[in-house]
Amino acid sequence: MMRSTLTRLPRSTRGYVLSVLLVSLAILLTFAIRPVFGGKAPLLFFTIAVALSASYGGLLAGVFTTFLSVVMAGWLFEHSIFLLTLSQSSLVLFAVLGVTISAIIQLLHRANANVVAARTQLELANEELSRSNEELQRFAYAVSHDLQAPLRNIKTLTALLVRRNGETLDRDSKECAHMIIGGVQRMEFLIKGLLDYAAATADKHHSAASNSHTVLEQVLQNLRYLIDAENAVITFDALPIVQANEDRLAQVFSNIITNAIKYRNNRKPEIHISVTDNGTEWVFKVTDNGIGIDMNYANEIFGLFKRRHSSDEYEGNGIGLAICKAVIERRGGRIWVESELGKGSTFFFTIPKITAEHSKKPGASATEPIVKSKTVEVH
């Protein structure tokens, strides 16, 4: 009832009316408990009145309550006052305490208001960012669709032109036609890579318990022709159940393994995948014996379109490791590389634990060599 009455009053007077009511209540309560303290008048209820008044009305209301309490207590309880439980305290000390309490509460109000304002701005910024990401996602898919159709037409018509006029075209014309087709194929590959990157950075893929052992086996099945062609040897330890999206985890394995096979020297590619339980996270490790990486560029290689070699040396578009970084960081993990030029590289990535345990796959050995496509099959 008191609250509804206060809300009807002008905002500028509410705090002062509340101060009068609280001081009046403090006087009544002080009179009521005087017998308990042998006739003494503690200022406890006046202190509470100051705190409540400052909380509701701010600094001025708190100071006004302090002044009103000093006047009324000095008038009604002149010779029997003590502050809290200190029998020799005075009204001066109470006045200092009241002003201090009012100032502190005012500061807390301001700090809380700043926090609320900052939180509101952050929520608005997050909503705006989410809308921007969705619009960017739709734009990327629309552009990719609009680009792929004319690119397919260019490639098809160029190939048809060469096939129909092969006898009349000179060598230079045929080379130009092949360059056009090759350029279109690289553009298509680049567009697909950008779409994969956009999908990896979109927060639409809910994570669930995934068997990383099974995911890796499926990736190796998909790469079996590349593994056969390069005569690569891939081994892996028993891998755990992790909290991750299977498709995104497969992208990470596929990109790192493909790079390990591609960036090789004269040695036969040898790759090993293992994992370490780090208590709060799983630390995956992919080791190869390839050409290695200059550690001065260890962070740069995870950037979009960042490549250390030209397309003439090694095919690629500089998107694969950027996708890996986006996927892992979306799951709250980290990814990095340790390498030595000419001796190979080791890529590490972590997946935080939620409810994870090692997969128990009957019949699976600790290290399982995969050389030919038949050995990629699930045992």
Side-chain angles (χ1 to χ4, degrees):
M1 182 175 180
M2 181 184 294
R3 185 180 183 88
S4 61
T5 302
L6 287 173
T7 56
R8 296 194 189 100
L9 296 172
R11 186 176 183 85
S12 59
T13 62
R14 290 177 193 172
Y16 301 103
V17 173
L18 180 63
S19 297
V20 174
L21 294 175
L22 289 173
V23 171
S24 301
L25 182 60
I27 292 171
L28 294 176
L29 292 173
T30 302
F31 270 117
I33 66 167
R34 284 182 71 185
V36 178
F37 292 91
K40 295 293 184 179
L43 295 179
L44 173 62
F45 295 113
F46 290 99
T47 306
I48 295 174
V50 170
L52 292 175
S53 180
S55 298
Y56 182 84
L59 177 61
L60 293 179
V63 172
F64 176 73
T65 305
T66 301
F67 172 76
L68 190 59
S69 297
V70 169
V71 173
M72 297 306 297
W75 176 42
L76 297 173
F77 311 108
E78 182 179 359
H79 301 295
S80 59
I81 295 172
F82 70 95
L83 179 61
L84 300 178
T85 59
L86 302 176
S87 58
Q88 301 301 320
S89 299
S90 66
L91 286 174
V92 175
L93 180 58
F94 170 77
V96 173
L97 179 62
V99 173
T100 303
I101 290 174
S102 301
I104 291 174
I105 291 176
Q106 177 72 7
L107 291 174
L108 291 175
H109 273 302
R110 288 181 180 176
N112 183 65
N114 290 336
V115 169
V116 171
R119 183 183 300 166
T120 301
Q121 291 179 355
L122 181 60
E123 290 174 355
L124 292 175
N126 286 336
E127 291 177 1
E128 183 64 28
L129 181 61
S130 178
R131 286 195 295 269
S132 298
N133 285 338
E134 290 177 0
E135 292 174 1
L136 183 61
Q137 189 80 2
R138 289 194 294 269
F139 174 77
Y141 279 105
V143 168
S144 68
H145 181 271
D146 292 341
L147 284 176
Q148 287 182 20
L151 285 174
R152 282 194 297 268
N153 291 337
I154 292 172
K155 183 172 67 174
T156 301
L157 291 174
T158 303
L160 182 62
L161 180 65
V162 172
R163 187 166 61 250
R164 287 183 176 180
N165 301 279
E167 295 180 357
T168 58
L169 292 175
D170 57 22
R171 179 184 299 177
D172 291 341
S173 298
K174 291 181 180 179
E175 287 182 358
C176 288
H178 289 307
M179 289 175 64
I180 293 172
I181 294 173
V184 169
Q185 289 174 337
R186 285 193 296 273
M187 181 63 73
E188 289 176 334
F189 187 57
L190 181 62
I191 291 173
K192 181 181 181 303
L194 286 173
L195 286 176
D196 289 341
Y197 181 79
T201 54
D203 199 15
K204 296 181 180 179
H205 308 285
H206 301 291
S207 60
S210 303
N211 190 327
S212 59
H213 198 110
T214 303
V215 172
L216 176 60
E217 288 179 329
Q218 184 59 51
V219 168
L220 296 177
Q221 288 278 16
N222 296 338
L223 296 176
R224 65 186 182 275
Y225 296 115
L226 176 63
I227 294 172
D228 286 345
E230 304 300 336
N231 198 27
V233 176
I234 303 177
T235 58
F236 56 94
D237 298 343
L239 302 180
I241 306 293
V242 296
Q243 198 76 12
N245 178 274
E246 288 189 358
D247 293 336
R248 300 296 160 234
L249 182 59
Q251 276 186 305
V252 174
F253 279 132
S254 180
N255 282 318
I256 294 178
I257 293 172
T258 300
N259 282 349
I261 296 175
K262 178 170 62 176
Y263 293 101
R264 68 187 187 279
N265 46 31
N266 295 328
R267 297 191 296 268
K268 178 172 65 176
E270 294 181 359
I271 304 162
H272 181 70
I273 301 99
S274 60
V275 68
T276 303
D277 186 347
N278 199 23
T280 59
E281 60 186 6
W282 296 106
V283 182
F284 287 81
K285 182 168 68 172
V286 182
T287 304
D288 65 56
N289 64 339
I291 62 175
I293 300 167
D294 186 343
M295 289 301 292
N296 290 324
Y297 305 99
N299 293 325
E300 183 179 321
I301 61 172
F302 294 101
L304 195 61
F305 302 126
K306 298 295 184 180
R307 303 195 65 208
R308 298 303 306 157
H309 304 277
S310 66
S311 299
D312 294 335
E313 295 177 287
Y314 299 97
E315 292 183 356
N317 52 26
I319 297 178
L321 290 179
I323 291 174
C324 294
K325 187 174 187 289
V327 169
I328 295 302
E329 291 185 349
R330 279 284 180 179
R331 299 273 72 82
R334 299 166 291 121
I335 186 169
W336 70 97
V337 65
E338 295 178 3
S339 181
E340 186 175 351
L341 281 174
K343 295 186 177 181
S345 304
T346 299
F347 282 84
F348 299 85
F349 64 90
T350 66
I351 298 178
K353 279 186 173 182
I354 299 179
T355 53
E357 59 182 75
H358 275 89
S359 59
K360 307 213 180 275
K361 180 170 180 285
S365 58
T367 56
E368 186 172 1
I370 297 180
V371 180
K372 300 298 182 181
S373 58
K374 64 179 181 180
T375 61
V376 181
E377 297 174 358
V378 177
H379 296 284

